[in-house]
Amino acid sequence: QSVLTQPPSVSGAPGQRVTISCTGSSSNIGANYDVHWYQQLPGTAPKLLIYGHSSRPSGVPDRFSGSKSGTSASLAITGLQAEDEADYYCQSYDSSLDVWVFGGGTRLTVL
Amino acid sequence: QLQLRESGSGLVKPSETLSLTCAVSGGSISSGGYSWSWIRQPPGKGLEWIGYIYQSGTTFYNPSLKSRVTISVDTSKNQFSLKVSSVTAADTAVYYCARRVGSRCDIWGQGTMVTVSS
């Protein structure tokens, strides 16, 4: 059980908007540690998608955006495309455990 | 373009030591501002951070694995390594190496599958 909780799955039709939540606590997201998001396409290594809550690395489409509020963070994907079907993970630091932690992951299905 | 590639034993017997190496190409492992990480992913499960090392040799480990894990760096070969001792079936996973900048991993290797089995 990760200290960062994500929904196991979300789905949406092409062109729609979906959000993935990452719920933490006062010892991680709530303590203002950076939240990062990774996309893992089937059979491949994770890829950095969002860093520092809301910044995008070069080459990541602006359809992907991140936000943070209180002890939670969210990843939003607009204009959903079939190629977005993947697993998504949030990551932060937990001061109580003294460890970098990943969320349990969310599988996005494009209907 | 910086690239990372894992290599090492794909099959390890229980109680033995898992050894992996991550070769860095297209850039120097001694470049300032970065650390070098290991992350693993058991089959069908999520990601688990193992630890990371700076070029200086300073290391940080996941407390849950600290007693069994050693990460080292060889700047002359532009590579860093992972050893996990006393392995069990629970250590079966895809092992990834990655470059860490700040608190994020921005470049990942392709991963290598390690199976613990007799």
Side-chain angles (χ1 to χ4, degrees), chain A residues 1 6 8 10 18 20 42 46-47 55 57 60 63 69 76 85 95 101 108-109 111:
Chain A
Q1 296 282 41
Q6 298 180 233
V10 297
V18 297
I20 298 173
K47 167 192 167 185
S55 298
V60 173
R63 300 188 297 105
S69 178
E85 194 160 278
S95 58
V101 290
L108 168 63
T109 300
L111 302 171

Side-chain angles (χ1 to χ4, degrees), chain A residues 9-13 16-20 80 106-111:
Chain A
S9 63
V10 297
S11 63
Q16 285 189 333
R17 177 181 187 271
V18 297
T19 61
I20 298 173
L80 206 56
T106 298
R107 176 151 297 178
L108 168 63
T109 300
V110 180
L111 302 171

